[in-house]
Amino acid sequence: MRWDGISEFVYVAEHESFTRAAKELGISTAQVSRQISALEKRLNIKLLYRTTRKVSLTEEGRVFYQHCRGVLDGLDAAEQAVSNLQSKPQGRIKLTAPVTYGEQQLLPLVNDFMVQYSDIEVTAFLSNQKIDLIDGGYDLAIRIGKLSDSTMMAKKLSRRTNFVCAAPTYLEKYGTPHALSELSQHNCLLGTRDYWHFIENGKNADKEKNLRVSGTVQYNSGHSLVDAALKGLGIVQLPDYYVQQYLASGELVSLLDNYREPEESIWAIYPHNRHLSSKIRLLVDYLAERLAV
């Protein structure tokens, strides 16, 4: 009796939908609703707010969810530990990641992983848009920066640093900026956003600053922005994996280092799932070991 309704409640909490929870569990929506209603009656607590458009957790529901999720994760780990003794990882993994990070850092490691585990198949969709894992049926996503979705499991894989830099030829012609205010006098090569991230020193603590910049170039391609910077067209702000080799060779010069924002974390996130298979855990651990710096 104490287990009745727990799985249904957790799935509804994570999907914010009775219908999607029922589909995941392979039962009817009516059965999910009955089980949760019985659970609320047994606990004498309202766990969910229900409207025609949305399902959300009450304050008591959020507390109960965290504990129930831990219990189901423990059960899943126990089942998987026994299963792993008798089988090797196999099947398909569907993942998504940012375009350039996926191309340069992630997928080469995924290919190595598949060489080692020949029964694994991978479908990868690279996009700089934030994709809904549940709706898209994804097993895994790579996200960079602060995480906002608390319903997902997350593991830190690595970190990255953004650099502001320009070619020596540009700096010789237009001068070197030493303060953020001087960027308004320069041609800034833009990506998908018209602002750059910095840290400013305050009286009590450093504070984050989004500085609006402008220029004659706006591309949604990091490689094209690097090329423009190398050719002396302007100043660019890009992650380390775009510019490290050019900073090392002197083809680009790092600027405004005192204002550089802190390193951003790179995460693997994946849905809570009672049946999370060993292949996902194995891939996440594989990536974490090789991307850790």
Side-chain angles (χ1 to χ4, degrees), residues 120-281:
I120 295 289
E121 301 175 16
V122 175
T123 297
F125 179 69
L126 301 184
S127 172
N128 293 330
Q129 302 300 315
K130 194 179 223 181
I131 294 175
D132 188 302
L133 271 66
I134 301 298
D135 285 345
Y138 287 90
D139 301 300
L140 181 67
I142 305 302
R143 297 272 165 83
I144 299 174
K146 295 178 181 178
L147 298 179
S148 57
D149 194 340
S150 61
T151 66
M152 296 286 170
M153 295 290 286
K155 181 166 183 171
K156 185 176 178 179
L157 300 179
S158 186
R159 56 184 182 267
R160 76 171 188 182
T161 303
N162 284 321
F163 285 88
V164 174
C165 49
T169 52
Y170 176 88
L171 300 176
E172 289 168 7
K173 188 173 182 179
Y174 297 102
T176 300
H178 298 287
L180 298 186
S181 59
E182 295 177 32
L183 285 177
S184 62
Q185 305 166 28
H186 287 271
N187 193 42
C188 297
L189 311 176
L190 302 179
T192 55
R193 299 175 299 199
D194 62 354
Y195 61 88
W196 288 351
H197 296 296
F198 295 99
I199 288 291
E200 277 193 312
N201 296 322
K203 290 184 179 180
N204 299 319
D206 293 342
K207 61 179 181 179
E208 297 181 10
K209 180 180 180 66
N210 291 334
L211 180 68
R212 196 170 297 277
V213 294
S214 61
T216 58
V217 163
Q218 184 164 16
Y219 299 149
N220 68 343
S221 164
H223 290 299
S224 299
L225 289 171
V226 170
D227 184 69
L230 289 168
K231 292 174 179 175
L233 291 181
I235 300 174
V236 72
Q237 185 183 61
L238 284 170
D240 44 21
Y241 45 82
Y242 283 103
V243 299
Q244 271 178 332
Q245 68 182 98
Y246 303 113
L247 292 173
S249 68
E251 294 173 85
L252 291 176
V253 177
S254 181
L255 307 171
L256 301 169
D257 292 345
N258 290 338
Y259 299 95
R260 186 183 301 149
E261 63 178 339
E263 296 172 325
E264 293 181 302
S265 295
I266 299 173
W267 306 87
I269 69 167
Y270 43 97
H272 285 291
N273 190 328
R274 286 185 64 193
H275 305 292
L276 183 66
S277 61
S278 60
K279 63 179 182 284
I280 306 299
R281 297 186 190 276

Side-chain angles (χ1 to χ4, degrees), residues 1-39:
M1 280 287 295
R2 297 187 68 187
W3 284 95
D4 290 349
I6 297 298
S7 296
E8 291 84 352
F9 165 67
V10 168
Y11 271 67
V12 169
E14 291 174 355
H15 290 78
E16 297 183 342
S17 166
F18 280 79
T19 302
R20 284 196 283 175
K23 184 177 179 181
E24 286 288 317
L25 289 165
I27 59 178
S28 69
T29 303
Q31 185 176 350
V32 171
S33 181
R34 284 195 300 270
Q35 288 284 66
I36 293 178
S37 294
L39 177 63

